[in-house]
Amino acid sequence: MTTHQITVLVGSLRRASYARQIAKQAIELLPEGFEGRIVEIRDLPLYDFDYDDPAVPDKVLPAEYTAFRNTIKASDGVLFVTPENNRTVPACLKNAVDIGSKPNSDVAWKGLPFAIISHSVGRMGGYSAHKNLRLALSYFDMPSPGQPEVFLGQSPTLLTPEGRFVDPATTEFVRDYVGRFAGLVRERSPHQTA
């Protein structure tokens, strides 16, 4: 049986973040035949187009850029799990999106299925981060599941001290979403074999 590889990007660098705990739960809820792995973005250098510009030969492309781009291109889909920072996407996650968006001739994100789970400690569930991230990714012709989207509000109340969802209804809601994402990956993955 083919195993579909899902790259999981967490939009928080804090080791014990709610986003990381939610991401771990989502990985466990992926259906059979899917393997999720959190890919760390904390050490990616800030994006600078000079690295990708042939007219700037004295700036060497960071090895971290190449490794990250290759990881994304080898994925069957990408799951983003993110909080909201100041009404938008955390800088670390936007930086990762920008790194994967270049060079223009070989965009890592192009056509790759994606899903977003956003959260916030308030009631809005990271709505602004979710919508800003979706807007950025729309440029790359990336398919994603439709409604219902996942905005998890009041995230501190959703998790046990061990990082598990408190309410079975939350578990089932996230399970349904990652299941729909998995179905999309099966249909649209660029690595599908006949």
Side-chain angles (χ1 to χ4, degrees), residues 140-167:
F140 311 119
D141 195 26
M142 299 172 71
S144 67
Q147 301 292 334
E149 297 171 301
V150 180
F151 310 98
L152 300 177
Q154 299 181 306
S155 43
T157 68
L158 297 179
L159 298 158
T160 68
E162 297 75 35
R164 314 292 298 180
F165 289 130
V166 171
D167 190 340

PDB file of all heavy atoms in Angstrom, residues 140-167:
ATOM      1  N   PHE A 140      -0.464  29.911  -5.679  1.00  0.00           N
ATOM      2  CA  PHE A 140       0.280  28.750  -6.183  1.00  0.00           C
ATOM      3  C   PHE A 140      -0.626  27.632  -6.708  1.00  0.00           C
ATOM      4  O   PHE A 140      -0.161  26.514  -6.911  1.00  0.00           O
ATOM      5  CB  PHE A 140       1.205  28.209  -5.090  1.00  0.00           C
ATOM      6  CG  PHE A 140       2.030  29.278  -4.438  1.00  0.00           C
ATOM      7  CD1 PHE A 140       1.915  29.538  -3.078  1.00  0.00           C
ATOM      8  CD2 PHE A 140       2.898  30.063  -5.190  1.00  0.00           C
ATOM      9  CE1 PHE A 140       2.658  30.540  -2.481  1.00  0.00           C
ATOM     10  CE2 PHE A 140       3.642  31.071  -4.601  1.00  0.00           C
ATOM     11  CZ  PHE A 140       3.518  31.313  -3.236  1.00  0.00           C
ATOM     12  N   ASP A 141      -1.912  27.930  -6.917  1.00  0.00           N
ATOM     13  CA  ASP A 141      -2.836  26.956  -7.481  1.00  0.00           C
ATOM     14  C   ASP A 141      -2.872  25.673  -6.653  1.00  0.00           C
ATOM     15  O   ASP A 141      -2.811  24.568  -7.175  1.00  0.00           O
ATOM     16  CB  ASP A 141      -2.457  26.656  -8.934  1.00  0.00           C
ATOM     17  CG  ASP A 141      -3.567  25.958  -9.688  1.00  0.00           C
ATOM     18  OD1 ASP A 141      -4.739  26.138  -9.314  1.00  0.00           O
ATOM     19  OD2 ASP A 141      -3.265  25.210 -10.636  1.00  0.00           O
ATOM     20  N   MET A 142      -2.963  25.844  -5.334  1.00  0.00           N
ATOM     21  CA  MET A 142      -2.972  24.713  -4.405  1.00  0.00           C
ATOM     22  C   MET A 142      -4.411  24.379  -4.016  1.00  0.00           C
ATOM     23  O   MET A 142      -5.114  25.227  -3.488  1.00  0.00           O
ATOM     24  CB  MET A 142      -2.161  25.056  -3.155  1.00  0.00           C
ATOM     25  CG  MET A 142      -0.706  25.371  -3.428  1.00  0.00           C
ATOM     26  SD  MET A 142       0.149  25.991  -1.946  1.00  0.00           S
ATOM     27  CE  MET A 142       0.250  24.495  -0.951  1.00  0.00           C
ATOM     28  N   PRO A 143      -4.842  23.141  -4.235  1.00  0.00           N
ATOM     29  CA  PRO A 143      -6.198  22.764  -3.829  1.00  0.00           C
ATOM     30  C   PRO A 143      -6.278  22.527  -2.319  1.00  0.00           C
ATOM     31  O   PRO A 143      -5.290  22.122  -1.688  1.00  0.00           O
ATOM     32  CB  PRO A 143      -6.442  21.466  -4.597  1.00  0.00           C
ATOM     33  CG  PRO A 143      -5.077  20.873  -4.781  1.00  0.00           C
ATOM     34  CD  PRO A 143      -4.142  22.056  -4.929  1.00  0.00           C
ATOM     35  N   SER A 144      -7.460  22.780  -1.749  1.00  0.00           N
ATOM     36  CA  SER A 144      -7.654  22.535  -0.316  1.00  0.00           C
ATOM     37  C   SER A 144      -9.099  22.135  -0.066  1.00  0.00           C
ATOM     38  O   SER A 144      -9.978  22.410  -0.891  1.00  0.00           O
ATOM     39  CB  SER A 144      -7.305  23.781   0.500  1.00  0.00           C
ATOM     40  OG  SER A 144      -8.222  24.814   0.250  1.00  0.00           O
ATOM     41  N   PRO A 145      -9.371  21.485   1.084  1.00  0.00           N
ATOM     42  CA  PRO A 145     -10.758  21.118   1.400  1.00  0.00           C
ATOM     43  C   PRO A 145     -11.622  22.365   1.556  1.00  0.00           C
ATOM     44  O   PRO A 145     -11.141  23.421   1.981  1.00  0.00           O
ATOM     45  CB  PRO A 145     -10.639  20.379   2.738  1.00  0.00           C
ATOM     46  CG  PRO A 145      -9.203  20.066   2.917  1.00  0.00           C
ATOM     47  CD  PRO A 145      -8.439  21.069   2.123  1.00  0.00           C
ATOM     48  N   GLY A 146     -12.892  22.230   1.249  1.00  0.00           N
ATOM     49  CA  GLY A 146     -13.825  23.345   1.423  1.00  0.00           C
ATOM     50  C   GLY A 146     -14.384  23.384   2.833  1.00  0.00           C
ATOM     51  O   GLY A 146     -13.710  23.017   3.801  1.00  0.00           O
ATOM     52  N   GLN A 147     -15.639  23.765   2.930  1.00  0.00           N
ATOM     53  CA  GLN A 147     -16.305  23.896   4.226  1.00  0.00           C
ATOM     54  C   GLN A 147     -16.589  22.526   4.838  1.00  0.00           C
ATOM     55  O   GLN A 147     -16.827  21.575   4.110  1.00  0.00           O
ATOM     56  CB  GLN A 147     -17.606  24.668   4.056  1.00  0.00           C
ATOM     57  CG  GLN A 147     -17.424  26.045   3.483  1.00  0.00           C
ATOM     58  CD  GLN A 147     -16.717  26.973   4.445  1.00  0.00           C
ATOM     59  OE1 GLN A 147     -16.789  26.778   5.662  1.00  0.00           O
ATOM     60  NE2 GLN A 147     -16.019  27.951   3.921  1.00  0.00           N
ATOM     61  N   PRO A 148     -16.595  22.440   6.173  1.00  0.00           N
ATOM     62  CA  PRO A 148     -16.253  23.505   7.101  1.00  0.00           C
ATOM     63  C   PRO A 148     -14.744  23.636   7.277  1.00  0.00           C
ATOM     64  O   PRO A 148     -14.017  22.634   7.262  1.00  0.00           O
ATOM     65  CB  PRO A 148     -16.911  23.065   8.412  1.00  0.00           C
ATOM     66  CG  PRO A 148     -16.921  21.575   8.347  1.00  0.00           C
ATOM     67  CD  PRO A 148     -17.092  21.227   6.885  1.00  0.00           C
ATOM     68  N   GLU A 149     -14.290  24.875   7.417  1.00  0.00           N
ATOM     69  CA  GLU A 149     -12.895  25.128   7.746  1.00  0.00           C
ATOM     70  C   GLU A 149     -12.711  24.943   9.255  1.00  0.00           C
ATOM     71  O   GLU A 149     -13.696  24.831   9.984  1.00  0.00           O
ATOM     72  CB  GLU A 149     -12.506  26.546   7.319  1.00  0.00           C
ATOM     73  CG  GLU A 149     -12.618  26.753   5.819  1.00  0.00           C
ATOM     74  CD  GLU A 149     -12.453  28.199   5.407  1.00  0.00           C
ATOM     75  OE1 GLU A 149     -13.244  29.037   5.877  1.00  0.00           O
ATOM     76  OE2 GLU A 149     -11.538  28.485   4.617  1.00  0.00           O
ATOM     77  N   VAL A 150     -11.456  24.936   9.696  1.00  0.00           N
ATOM     78  CA  VAL A 150     -11.198  24.677  11.115  1.00  0.00           C
ATOM     79  C   VAL A 150     -10.566  25.896  11.775  1.00  0.00           C
ATOM     80  O   VAL A 150      -9.409  26.236  11.505  1.00  0.00           O
ATOM     81  CB  VAL A 150     -10.291  23.434  11.307  1.00  0.00           C
ATOM     82  CG1 VAL A 150     -10.037  23.191  12.788  1.00  0.00           C
ATOM     83  CG2 VAL A 150     -10.937  22.209  10.676  1.00  0.00           C
ATOM     84  N   PHE A 151     -11.353  26.541  12.627  1.00  0.00           N
ATOM     85  CA  PHE A 151     -10.908  27.652  13.461  1.00  0.00           C
ATOM     86  C   PHE A 151     -11.163  27.215  14.906  1.00  0.00           C
ATOM     87  O   PHE A 151     -12.326  27.140  15.316  1.00  0.00           O
ATOM     88  CB  PHE A 151     -11.705  28.930  13.186  1.00  0.00           C
ATOM     89  CG  PHE A 151     -11.805  29.307  11.735  1.00  0.00           C
ATOM     90  CD1 PHE A 151     -12.936  28.984  10.996  1.00  0.00           C
ATOM     91  CD2 PHE A 151     -10.783  30.004  11.107  1.00  0.00           C
ATOM     92  CE1 PHE A 151     -13.048  29.346   9.664  1.00  0.00           C
ATOM     93  CE2 PHE A 151     -10.882  30.365   9.765  1.00  0.00           C
ATOM     94  CZ  PHE A 151     -12.014  30.031   9.046  1.00  0.00           C
ATOM     95  N   LEU A 152     -10.114  26.917  15.654  1.00  0.00           N
ATOM     96  CA  LEU A 152     -10.288  26.438  17.021  1.00  0.00           C
ATOM     97  C   LEU A 152     -10.114  27.592  18.001  1.00  0.00           C
ATOM     98  O   LEU A 152      -9.000  28.064  18.219  1.00  0.00           O
ATOM     99  CB  LEU A 152      -9.283  25.315  17.317  1.00  0.00           C
ATOM    100  CG  LEU A 152      -9.391  24.071  16.421  1.00  0.00           C
ATOM    101  CD1 LEU A 152      -8.309  23.067  16.772  1.00  0.00           C
ATOM    102  CD2 LEU A 152     -10.781  23.439  16.535  1.00  0.00           C
ATOM    103  N   GLY A 153     -11.230  28.057  18.568  1.00  0.00           N
ATOM    104  CA  GLY A 153     -11.194  29.163  19.517  1.00  0.00           C
ATOM    105  C   GLY A 153     -10.944  28.699  20.935  1.00  0.00           C
ATOM    106  O   GLY A 153     -11.179  27.538  21.279  1.00  0.00           O
ATOM    107  N   GLN A 154     -10.436  29.618  21.752  1.00  0.00           N
ATOM    108  CA  GLN A 154     -10.154  29.360  23.165  1.00  0.00           C
ATOM    109  C   GLN A 154      -9.314  28.090  23.344  1.00  0.00           C
ATOM    110  O   GLN A 154      -9.638  27.204  24.134  1.00  0.00           O
ATOM    111  CB  GLN A 154     -11.467  29.282  23.951  1.00  0.00           C
ATOM    112  CG  GLN A 154     -12.247  30.589  23.875  1.00  0.00           C
ATOM    113  CD  GLN A 154     -13.530  30.570  24.655  1.00  0.00           C
ATOM    114  OE1 GLN A 154     -14.362  29.673  24.462  1.00  0.00           O
ATOM    115  NE2 GLN A 154     -13.705  31.544  25.536  1.00  0.00           N
ATOM    116  N   SER A 155      -8.241  28.036  22.599  1.00  0.00           N
ATOM    117  CA  SER A 155      -7.420  26.819  22.540  1.00  0.00           C
ATOM    118  C   SER A 155      -6.929  26.305  23.892  1.00  0.00           C
ATOM    119  O   SER A 155      -6.813  25.088  24.048  1.00  0.00           O
ATOM    120  CB  SER A 155      -6.261  27.004  21.568  1.00  0.00           C
ATOM    121  OG  SER A 155      -5.655  28.251  21.697  1.00  0.00           O
ATOM    122  N   PRO A 156      -6.645  27.153  24.897  1.00  0.00           N
ATOM    123  CA  PRO A 156      -6.203  26.584  26.174  1.00  0.00           C
ATOM    124  C   PRO A 156      -7.246  25.659  26.807  1.00  0.00           C
ATOM    125  O   PRO A 156      -6.890  24.747  27.544  1.00  0.00           O
ATOM    126  CB  PRO A 156      -5.967  27.818  27.054  1.00  0.00           C
ATOM    127  CG  PRO A 156      -5.712  28.926  26.099  1.00  0.00           C
ATOM    128  CD  PRO A 156      -6.579  28.625  24.905  1.00  0.00           C
ATOM    129  N   THR A 157      -8.525  25.888  26.496  1.00  0.00           N
ATOM    130  CA  THR A 157      -9.572  25.048  27.087  1.00  0.00           C
ATOM    131  C   THR A 157      -9.810  23.769  26.287  1.00  0.00           C
ATOM    132  O   THR A 157     -10.537  22.887  26.744  1.00  0.00           O
ATOM    133  CB  THR A 157     -10.908  25.823  27.165  1.00  0.00           C
ATOM    134  OG1 THR A 157     -11.414  26.039  25.826  1.00  0.00           O
ATOM    135  CG2 THR A 157     -10.726  27.167  27.867  1.00  0.00           C
ATOM    136  N   LEU A 158      -9.212  23.659  25.114  1.00  0.00           N
ATOM    137  CA  LEU A 158      -9.464  22.508  24.241  1.00  0.00           C
ATOM    138  C   LEU A 158      -8.563  21.322  24.537  1.00  0.00           C
ATOM    139  O   LEU A 158      -8.835  20.216  24.073  1.00  0.00           O
ATOM    140  CB  LEU A 158      -9.252  22.905  22.776  1.00  0.00           C
ATOM    141  CG  LEU A 158     -10.164  23.974  22.190  1.00  0.00           C
ATOM    142  CD1 LEU A 158      -9.775  24.248  20.748  1.00  0.00           C
ATOM    143  CD2 LEU A 158     -11.619  23.548  22.293  1.00  0.00           C
ATOM    144  N   LEU A 159      -7.479  21.571  25.284  1.00  0.00           N
ATOM    145  CA  LEU A 159      -6.443  20.561  25.460  1.00  0.00           C
ATOM    146  C   LEU A 159      -6.232  20.209  26.924  1.00  0.00           C
ATOM    147  O   LEU A 159      -6.277  21.073  27.800  1.00  0.00           O
ATOM    148  CB  LEU A 159      -5.127  21.060  24.861  1.00  0.00           C
ATOM    149  CG  LEU A 159      -5.153  21.332  23.355  1.00  0.00           C
ATOM    150  CD1 LEU A 159      -4.051  22.303  22.961  1.00  0.00           C
ATOM    151  CD2 LEU A 159      -5.032  20.031  22.582  1.00  0.00           C
ATOM    152  N   THR A 160      -5.952  18.946  27.159  1.00  0.00           N
ATOM    153  CA  THR A 160      -5.580  18.506  28.504  1.00  0.00           C
ATOM    154  C   THR A 160      -4.129  18.911  28.766  1.00  0.00           C
ATOM    155  O   THR A 160      -3.406  19.287  27.830  1.00  0.00           O
ATOM    156  CB  THR A 160      -5.693  16.976  28.625  1.00  0.00           C
ATOM    157  OG1 THR A 160      -4.673  16.378  27.791  1.00  0.00           O
ATOM    158  CG2 THR A 160      -7.067  16.470  28.217  1.00  0.00           C
ATOM    159  N   PRO A 161      -3.659  18.825  30.012  1.00  0.00           N
ATOM    160  CA  PRO A 161      -2.241  19.116  30.287  1.00  0.00           C
ATOM    161  C   PRO A 161      -1.285  18.235  29.483  1.00  0.00           C
ATOM    162  O   PRO A 161      -0.143  18.607  29.232  1.00  0.00           O
ATOM    163  CB  PRO A 161      -2.111  18.850  31.792  1.00  0.00           C
ATOM    164  CG  PRO A 161      -3.488  19.089  32.334  1.00  0.00           C
ATOM    165  CD  PRO A 161      -4.419  18.600  31.252  1.00  0.00           C
ATOM    166  N   GLU A 162      -1.783  17.075  29.030  1.00  0.00           N
ATOM    167  CA  GLU A 162      -0.958  16.166  28.215  1.00  0.00           C
ATOM    168  C   GLU A 162      -1.047  16.482  26.729  1.00  0.00           C
ATOM    169  O   GLU A 162      -0.419  15.795  25.910  1.00  0.00           O
ATOM    170  CB  GLU A 162      -1.388  14.706  28.445  1.00  0.00           C
ATOM    171  CG  GLU A 162      -1.197  14.210  29.862  1.00  0.00           C
ATOM    172  CD  GLU A 162      -2.249  14.748  30.828  1.00  0.00           C
ATOM    173  OE1 GLU A 162      -3.420  14.925  30.416  1.00  0.00           O
ATOM    174  OE2 GLU A 162      -1.890  15.013  32.001  1.00  0.00           O
ATOM    175  N   GLY A 163      -1.832  17.492  26.366  1.00  0.00           N
ATOM    176  CA  GLY A 163      -1.919  17.893  24.963  1.00  0.00           C
ATOM    177  C   GLY A 163      -2.937  17.127  24.141  1.00  0.00           C
ATOM    178  O   GLY A 163      -2.863  17.120  22.913  1.00  0.00           O
ATOM    179  N   ARG A 164      -3.910  16.508  24.803  1.00  0.00           N
ATOM    180  CA  ARG A 164      -4.976  15.779  24.097  1.00  0.00           C
ATOM    181  C   ARG A 164      -6.226  16.656  24.038  1.00  0.00           C
ATOM    182  O   ARG A 164      -6.455  17.470  24.919  1.00  0.00           O
ATOM    183  CB  ARG A 164      -5.328  14.479  24.832  1.00  0.00           C
ATOM    184  CG  ARG A 164      -4.160  13.637  25.287  1.00  0.00           C
ATOM    185  CD  ARG A 164      -3.390  13.020  24.179  1.00  0.00           C
ATOM    186  NE  ARG A 164      -4.175  12.106  23.385  1.00  0.00           N
ATOM    187  CZ  ARG A 164      -3.711  11.437  22.339  1.00  0.00           C
ATOM    188  NH1 ARG A 164      -2.452  11.591  21.959  1.00  0.00           N
ATOM    189  NH2 ARG A 164      -4.478  10.637  21.651  1.00  0.00           N
ATOM    190  N   PHE A 165      -7.042  16.467  23.014  1.00  0.00           N
ATOM    191  CA  PHE A 165      -8.301  17.191  22.960  1.00  0.00           C
ATOM    192  C   PHE A 165      -9.192  16.762  24.126  1.00  0.00           C
ATOM    193  O   PHE A 165      -9.354  15.568  24.397  1.00  0.00           O
ATOM    194  CB  PHE A 165      -9.029  16.952  21.645  1.00  0.00           C
ATOM    195  CG  PHE A 165      -8.387  17.617  20.457  1.00  0.00           C
ATOM    196  CD1 PHE A 165      -8.129  16.904  19.294  1.00  0.00           C
ATOM    197  CD2 PHE A 165      -8.053  18.968  20.488  1.00  0.00           C
ATOM    198  CE1 PHE A 165      -7.555  17.514  18.192  1.00  0.00           C
ATOM    199  CE2 PHE A 165      -7.471  19.592  19.392  1.00  0.00           C
ATOM    200  CZ  PHE A 165      -7.218  18.860  18.250  1.00  0.00           C
ATOM    201  N   VAL A 166      -9.791  17.727  24.792  1.00  0.00           N
ATOM    202  CA  VAL A 166     -10.664  17.451  25.929  1.00  0.00           C
ATOM    203  C   VAL A 166     -11.989  16.854  25.462  1.00  0.00           C
ATOM    204  O   VAL A 166     -12.466  15.856  26.010  1.00  0.00           O
ATOM    205  CB  VAL A 166     -10.934  18.753  26.731  1.00  0.00           C
ATOM    206  CG1 VAL A 166     -12.002  18.536  27.785  1.00  0.00           C
ATOM    207  CG2 VAL A 166      -9.654  19.266  27.369  1.00  0.00           C
ATOM    208  N   ASP A 167     -12.576  17.468  24.452  1.00  0.00           N
ATOM    209  CA  ASP A 167     -13.922  17.115  24.011  1.00  0.00           C
ATOM    210  C   ASP A 167     -13.876  16.165  22.815  1.00  0.00           C
ATOM    211  O   ASP A 167     -13.252  16.482  21.795  1.00  0.00           O
ATOM    212  CB  ASP A 167     -14.662  18.404  23.623  1.00  0.00           C
ATOM    213  CG  ASP A 167     -16.147  18.185  23.371  1.00  0.00           C
ATOM    214  OD1 ASP A 167     -16.561  17.034  23.125  1.00  0.00           O
ATOM    215  OD2 ASP A 167     -16.895  19.183  23.410  1.00  0.00           O
TER     216      ASP A 167
END
